[in-house]
Amino acid sequence: MRAPHDTLTSERLVLRRYTADDLDLLVRLHSDRRVMRFAGGVHERSKTEAMLRERILAYYDQHPGLGIWLTSERATGAPVGMHLLNHIRDDTVIQVGYLLYPEYWGRGYATEMAARLLRYGFGELGLPQISAITDLPHVDSQHVLLKIGLRRDGERHFPAYGSDPLAFFTRDAASWLAEHPA
Ligand SMILES: CC(C)(COP(=O)(O)OP(=O)(O)OC[C@H]1O[C@@H](n2cnc3c(N)ncnc32)[C@H](O)[C@@H]1OP(=O)(O)O)[C@@H](O)C(=O)NCCC(=O)NCCS
């Protein structure tokens, strides 16, 4: 069943659920070296197919309100990438994240919808805390996380994402909402 959050909008962007028909769009994202440089490296089509089935489509019903969504421009309908608010794999931590097609970098899109997801997660879902992880050298993504109001909290290791420590960012609902009144 679709819920209002499956069409979450920001000033210039809209989220919608992925469907099984979106495999090619996702493959285009996951097979681009520039996109995947700090996101675990490019994926084979079969890996993306499994991810769409298990980590995206099945997850919507397992965790209502959370997920990985397709992000599009409201003005043109063009897909610009994905945003997510979901569990870090094999963990209880809820993370915000994004992957954009390179032609849409440099327009503030990652920040715009990630900030909207924090308002939705804290304000509408009532999540007590939202976090994020990036590779240590990925300063562009870390810049996005600071802009939306998360704070750096050292490094963490999550086995599902390999053996390297990751930059960890987090914020609790009360302090974020106090700093970002509606
Ligand atoms: C990292 C990544 C998400 C950044 O996306 P992005 O949309 O370019 O990032 P931002 O939202 O910070 O926007 C970048 C710049 O757009 C500019 N911009 C242009 N128009 C703008 C507007 N209308 N509003 C806001 N910013 C605008 C800003 O200058 C901003 O940079 P600044 O804050 O330093 O001034 C993107 O490069 C990406 O998808 N990379 C590959 C995937 C990836 O690594 N994901 C993260 C895994 S942890």
Side-chain angles (χ1 to χ4, degrees), residues 118-119 147-150 171 175-182:
L118 289 193
R119 178 158 310 284
K147 280 192 290 183
I148 64 174
L150 297 191
R171 195 77 188 267
S175 68
W176 190 89
L177 287 167
E179 205 173 86
H180 301 84

Side-chain angles (χ1 to χ4, degrees), residues 112-162:
E112 181 177 314
M113 187 50 86
R116 180 70 184 91
L117 280 171
L118 289 193
R119 178 158 310 284
Y120 159 69
F122 287 138
E124 294 172 52
L125 290 184
L127 296 173
Q129 196 159 33
I130 297 176
S131 305
I133 47 177
T134 78
D135 283 2
L136 290 178
H138 196 1
V139 291
D140 290 344
S141 183
Q142 292 164 19
H143 181 51
V144 172
L145 297 173
L146 293 173
K147 280 192 290 183
I148 64 174
L150 297 191
R151 293 199 176 142
R152 178 75 184 262
D153 186 18
E155 296 171 11
R156 297 270 181 100
H157 172 236
F158 293 96
Y161 296 87

Side-chain angles (χ1 to χ4, degrees), residues 5-6 8 15 18 55-56 59-60 62-71 82-89 92-99 113-132 145 148 150 161 171:
H5 59 262
D6 294 322
L8 203 68
L15 297 186
Y18 276 100
R55 180 116 170 106
I56 300 183
Y59 185 94
Y60 291 135
Q62 292 161 357
H63 301 282
L66 299 174
I68 299 175
W69 297 276
L70 179 86
T71 314
M82 66 160 63
H83 278 77
L84 59 88
L85 187 68
N86 68 0
H87 290 83
I88 287 183
R89 233 180 309 140
T92 55
V93 172
I94 301 291
Q95 66 177 343
V96 66
Y98 31 75
L99 293 178
M113 187 50 86
R116 180 70 184 91
L117 280 171
L118 289 193
R119 178 158 310 284
Y120 159 69
F122 287 138
E124 294 172 52
L125 290 184
L127 296 173
Q129 196 159 33
I130 297 176
S131 305
L145 297 173
I148 64 174
L150 297 191
Y161 296 87
R171 195 77 188 267

Side-chain angles (χ1 to χ4, degrees), residues 93-109:
V93 172
I94 301 291
Q95 66 177 343
V96 66
Y98 31 75
L99 293 178
L100 302 183
Y101 298 107
E103 57 269 38
Y104 294 102
W105 296 0
R107 303 184 191 194
Y109 282 171

